[in-house]
Amino acid sequence: MFTKIKIIVSVLILFSFVACDKGIEPKDENQPTGFSGTVTFVSEWPAVVKRAFVVVFKDPLLAATDFSITNLKFLSLEIPLGVLSYRFSSLDSSYIPTNPGPFLPGRYAYVAVAYQTTDQLSLARQDWYVVGIYYAFGNTSDPATMVVTENIFLKDINITCDFNNLPPQPPGGS
């Protein structure tokens, strides 16, 4: 009986070493904080589109004033016009004066693809149209909150865009 207990204890100890997932080990300080994903376009791009970007806002867009530079925390590099898909990463972002440097951990209420039809780049809400929103787990009733944790890099923040079936537009648009 004592031998069986020794064997069981030995197996459990061995299993704990082999199966250890480094749960109490500190986070990898070299792991970047941020996110990436793919934008997929399921319809033809209209000729009126001049530029498009992935945008991330800290707070929900409940009023026209929420579509502001102080609430904007990420602006992707410009999405090439006419593409069927586009890979983006917070490691490749454009400069945002209110969020310089690496992407910061936090809760982000609105992740979307937006485009402009004006020749000049503008931050006026009425010049932007949302063509796709990040939804989690297929729930298309409400935009998903993206939670970014320190030293964690989220993948698969994917957005589907359909120019023929635009999602609900934030307040203050045309």
Side-chain angles (χ1 to χ4, degrees):
M1 179 70 163
F2 184 68
T3 306
K4 283 185 179 180
I5 292 174
K6 283 173 87 174
I7 292 172
I8 291 171
V9 169
S10 297
V11 168
L12 289 175
I13 291 172
L14 179 63
F15 180 73
S16 69
F17 283 117
V18 172
C20 178
D21 67 350
K22 303 176 187 173
I24 60 172
E25 190 173 291
K27 291 180 183 174
D28 181 1
E29 298 294 326
N30 295 322
Q31 175 72 22
T33 300
F35 62 96
S36 67
T38 301
V39 178
T40 304
F41 295 92
V42 297
S43 59
E44 192 170 317
W45 287 64
V48 297
V49 175
K50 302 293 184 189
R51 67 194 57 79
F53 301 90
V54 176
V55 294
V56 175
F57 290 91
K58 179 79 171 159
D59 298 319
L61 301 181
L62 303 176
T65 54
D66 294 329
F67 194 96
S68 68
I69 191 69
T70 56
N71 193 17
L72 180 65
K73 300 303 177 189
F74 173 80
L75 180 70
S76 73
L77 298 175
E78 198 166 317
I79 299 171
L81 299 179
V83 299
L84 297 177
S85 69
Y86 176 73
R87 295 265 320 136
F88 64 91
S89 169
S90 61
L91 300 177
D92 301 327
S93 72
S94 297
Y95 177 74
I96 302 291
T98 59
N99 196 38
F103 195 78
L104 299 174
R107 296 177 67 80
Y108 297 90
Y110 198 78
V111 180
V113 174
Y115 70 92
Q116 283 189 298
T117 59
T118 58
D119 287 322
Q120 296 292 96
L121 184 60
S122 161
L123 291 177
R125 168 62 190 101
Q126 67 271 11
D127 292 338
W128 290 86
Y129 300 88
V130 175
V131 67
I133 299 173
Y134 169 60
Y135 299 106
F137 311 113
N139 175 5
T140 58
S141 60
D142 289 313
T145 297
M146 180 176 67
V147 179
V148 179
T149 306
E150 181 90 29
N151 299 113
I152 300 293
F153 194 82
L154 299 175
K155 295 181 180 174
D156 298 323
I157 304 299
N158 300 323
I159 303 170
T160 300
C161 299
D162 184 352
F163 289 103
N164 296 326
N165 188 21
L166 297 180
Q169 298 297 301
S174 306

